[in-house]
Each structure stands twice: as C-alpha cells, then as structure tokens.
Amino acid sequence: MPTLDRQDDVFVLDLGDGENRFHPNWLASVNAALDEVENAEGPRALVTAATGKFYSNGLDLEWLSAHADQHQDYTHSVQELFARVLSLPMITVAALQGHTFAAGAMLSLAHDFRVMRADRGFWCLPEADINIPFTPGMSALIQSRLAP
C-alpha cells in the first residue's frame, strides 16, 4: 500500500512495491495521502515514486472483472484521481523508476513533471495497440500532455 513521507517541504508518496494497480483500497490510500499533503501548511511539493519493478500497472483488471457492476463508479474514481493530481496547488513530480503502463502512465501525465530512468522500465499506453477506447477525460489528459 502507498506510504507518505515528508522531507522538509517535499512530500514523497511511495505508491508501493508491487504492481501498484488501482484497487479501490489503493485508491483510497492514495487519496488519504493527498488529503494530508493538501492540508499541510506552508510551501510544499509532491513527488510520487514507487519501490521495485513497477511505478504502476494501472487499473486493477482482476478486481474490475470480479465487480463488473461497479465499472462506472470505478472508472469515475480513477478519473477523479487524475483530476485531483492535475489540480493540486503545488508542484508535482512523477519519479518513474520502473514500468509505467496504462492508467499508471496516465497518472504520471497528470503530474507537472515526469522523470524516468533511461536504462530501466517502459512507459506505455497499451490501450492504443489493442484498440481499447479512452474515456473523453483520459483522451483530453493524453492529448494535453503528449505531442500528436
């Protein structure tokens, strides 16, 4: 699960050491950490990172297939996370130490800046290759951050 650490005026949100898929409990933990960052006084910045092979593998498709009746609410909560990171009143940096796929890649795009190792990890939107349509909000985020 995600953990939050503060180093002076910089908050570091470690997304976890697994695939960091967007399970509802993971989303709740990230949002709780963002609440703490937003409620902190004084100047601040946010860096998101992870431990291990993955920054994030995006949606928790296993959970989603077991809870298909919650698809719309789940997708909405994921898009709310993107919007929340986009609108944080501080500088945000995604430190991509490993694989960053699908909704995880979109989360990285919601940050003001992204940095990634050149020698390790992949950044990918597999939906483009397998013809899974993006929601209008996801399309807007991608188009606003990436060159055509």
Side-chain angles (χ1 to χ4, degrees):
M1 290 304 283
T3 57
L4 184 65
D5 183 41
R6 184 172 188 169
Q7 299 169 10
D8 298 319
D9 293 334
V10 178
F11 286 88
V12 178
L13 176 57
D14 185 322
L15 301 178
D17 63 359
E19 291 189 13
N20 304 319
R21 291 189 178 269
F22 293 17
H23 184 279
N25 294 339
W26 185 91
L27 289 167
S29 182
V30 168
N31 277 306
L34 294 178
D35 288 343
E36 185 176 334
V37 173
E38 280 190 294
N39 292 325
E41 301 219 1
R44 60 207 180 280
L46 173 68
V47 175
T48 60
T51 307
K53 186 175 181 177
F54 297 92
Y55 175 80
S56 175
N57 242 354
L59 301 182
D60 190 333
L61 299 177
E62 185 176 317
W63 182 90
L64 189 55
S65 65
H67 301 87
D69 60 319
Q70 297 178 47
H71 178 269
Q72 189 172 17
D73 290 340
Y74 177 74
T75 304
H76 184 73
S77 68
V78 169
Q79 292 185 101
E80 283 181 331
L81 175 61
F82 299 157
R84 185 171 189 189
V85 173
L86 273 167
S87 63
L88 284 171
M90 68 201 71
I91 296 296
T92 59
V93 178
L96 312 172
Q97 90 300 340
H99 300 319
T100 306
F101 292 114
M106 289 180 235
L107 176 61
S108 76
L109 291 176
H111 290 70
D112 297 312
F113 301 98
R114 288 147 299 287
V115 292
M116 185 172 194
R117 294 173 56 148
D119 64 334
R120 186 171 161 201
F122 295 97
W123 190 99
C124 179
L125 292 169
E127 299 88 345
D129 291 329
I130 57 177
N131 295 319
I132 294 176
F134 296 111
T135 66
M138 291 173 177
S139 291
L141 172 61
I142 293 164
Q143 291 171 6
S144 72
R145 299 292 192 179
L146 299 178

